Amino acid sequence: MFFDDVPEPIAYEGPESDNPLAFRWYDADRVVGDRTMAEHLRMAACYWHSFNWPGSDVFGVGTFDRPWLDPGRDPMEAAREKMAAAFEFFGKLGVPHYAFHDYDMAPEGANLAEGSANLDALAEDAAAHMAETGVDLLWGTANLFSHPRYAAGAATNPDPEVFAHAAAQVKQAMDVTHRLGGANYVLWGGREGYETMLNTDLGRELDQMARFLHLVVEHKHAIGFEGALLLEPKPQEPTKHQYDHDTATVAGFLHRHGLQDEFKVNIEGNHATLAGHDFVHEVATAVEAGIFGSIDANTGDDRLGWDTDQFPGSVETMSLVTYHILKGGGFTTGGYMFDTKLRRQSLARVDLFHAHVGAMDTLAKSLLVAHAMLDDGVLEEVVADRYAGWSGQLGSAIHGGEHTLASLHDLVVDGDLRPAAVSGRQEELEGVVHRYIERLA
Ligand code: XLS
Ligand code: NI
Ligand code: NI
């Protein structure tokens, strides 16, 4: 056992509990509307930040107690130890899903053949752990950004041999995701962008990316993978500019290349803010474009301008995000995946539990707030009222193509139209949200 200091699975004890290793709000089987909390939130923990990252930063080495990362270890043995610790954690936390990159789970080896064989072997072990713990796979993905060969991009690399390498790696990662019953396959293009326009043929790189995504779609259908394909927008970091900048950019790209029915988005909170958007903006944009898929539930820091991947702690932010997800019909294949890392000083093993328990309670509270607001129709009524004119005679005539600029000119002049300015009621509505949050307590 790696987490000896957490002897029992985390239990729901209710809001009165002072036990930091208990859920105060997340009660998996509690029914909220037409689904249980577990079914609504479909939460997942990630393999990489929690088990594969040593707590290093750009100025310093790892601080965490992760014995399997010791370079002196036999790689396969260390990978198995890491996997045992990961599933012990998922099981004790009671998180129903997990997510991984190919080389989080398996040693990369000296070449692709070796990496693939390692991944096949470890996926078999993962299947056994999944059967034993009942933890399912929310998504798999391939790491197309760490190895030096990907420094100038994977699919968007100037060298087609690198494209071929990325394709081979994605094939393998998709096959394994499919075998493990993954609900989605994710592509995050961390290096699919540029550092300087001085050496970059932007049009060519975008065409390469589209070609790559078409190959991914063909492979999905060839192997009969029924999960969703997801792209994860991010504006920059590590590249100066990433092509999958934000949801609206991705939506435009998908339409331009005939991929709009094959891909959805995996929206990350911290990526939204890096792009200069509220988290809820990205979700609403995806729902509206019909490409909402899944969420990487994390948050940034108000002062630091990078992807700090902190655990979500704001009920207000997450309530609005959850409200728009519910309004769009809720999660189907997607879920709330904690793409989150501990702060570098949080080096006790138990810190991983404190972080996830707090985040899961934040999402449970947010679900209750969002569901109540939707059920009562408090915001929907205001919005419907605000746009009511568009269901009336003039609005319908404009949409119905019955007007020209000239006829509207005549209408305004002849009818002496003087539209009245009305209140947007923003502060009142902010108060409504605050009251729903207060009512939780
Ligand atoms: C990095 C991304 C990454 C993806 C998976 O910023 O969030 O963690 O989610 O490759
Ligand atoms: Ni992410
Ligand atoms: Ni990220």
Side-chain angles (χ1 to χ4, degrees), residues 218-241:
E218 282 164 24
H219 190 66
K220 168 189 160 155
H221 295 301
I223 63 175
F225 177 61
E226 285 175 4
L229 296 174
L230 305 176
L231 295 176
E232 185 175 323
K234 185 174 182 180
Q236 72 269 331
E237 194 213 76
T239 48
K240 177 187 175 67
H241 175 90

Side-chain angles (χ1 to χ4, degrees), residues 53-216:
W53 173 60
S56 53
D57 69 12
V58 281
F59 290 100
V61 297
T63 52
F64 296 163
D65 172 23
R66 303 282 184 264
W68 48 83
L69 298 181
D70 182 337
R73 297 287 306 275
D74 170 73
M76 286 301 275
E77 198 188 283
R80 292 200 163 97
E81 190 179 310
K82 173 169 59 182
M83 184 177 283
F87 278 93
E88 183 195 341
F89 175 72
F90 304 150
K92 283 183 173 171
L93 182 63
V95 68
H97 302 92
Y98 76 106
F100 75 104
H101 296 87
D102 48 0
Y103 298 140
D104 301 331
M105 195 178 266
E108 196 161 347
N111 53 37
L112 190 92
E114 225 177 276
S116 294
N118 289 347
L119 185 55
D120 278 337
L122 283 154
E124 236 176 84
D125 294 356
H129 280 291
M130 289 167 67
E132 198 190 314
T133 54
V135 176
D136 293 328
L137 179 60
L138 189 67
W139 49 266
T141 187
N143 180 330
L144 303 179
F145 44 87
S146 293
H147 194 281
R149 87 171 68 82
Y150 296 127
T156 61
N157 200 287
D159 181 353
E161 288 192 9
V162 177
F163 181 106
H165 213 289
Q169 215 183 306
V170 167
K171 180 220 175 274
Q172 170 76 7
M174 286 178 76
D175 290 353
V176 167
T177 299
H178 181 39
R179 234 181 293 145
L180 293 176
N184 307 273
Y185 184 83
V186 168
L187 292 118
W188 170 61
R191 304 274 177 197
E192 310 293 26
Y194 60 79
E195 300 297 341
T196 170
M197 285 304 278
L198 294 174
N199 63 12
T200 301
D201 184 337
L202 199 138
R204 192 189 270 280
E205 293 201 0
L206 287 169
D207 283 347
Q208 287 171 216
M209 199 159 89
R211 189 85 281 278
F212 194 89
L213 296 183
H214 277 290
L215 295 179
V216 169

Side-chain angles (χ1 to χ4, degrees), residues 46 48-49 99 101 139 141 145 186-190 230-238 242 244-247 250 264-284 286 291-301 306-312 317-318 321 325 331 335-341 343:
C46 85
W48 52 102
H49 295 316
H101 296 87
W139 49 266
T141 187
F145 44 87
V186 168
L187 292 118
W188 170 61
L230 305 176
L231 295 176
E232 185 175 323
K234 185 174 182 180
Q236 72 269 331
E237 194 213 76
Q242 192 185 311
D244 290 337
H245 206 76
D246 62 1
T247 298
V250 168
K264 293 178 177 170
V265 283
N266 181 39
I267 296 170
E268 178 163 321
N270 206 162
H271 297 182
T273 48
L274 282 177
H277 301 306
D278 286 342
F279 196 170
V280 67
H281 164 92
E282 287 292 86
V283 173
I291 56 169
F292 176 73
S294 197
I295 295 280
D296 275 9
N298 65 14
T299 186
D301 182 282
W306 67 86
D307 199 8
T308 57
D309 293 323
Q310 284 164 248
F311 288 80
T317 299
M318 295 315 300
V321 165
I325 293 173
F331 285 118
Y336 273 123
M337 202 286 294
F338 295 115
D339 194 354
T340 41
K341 47 190 203 249
R343 297 308 86 194

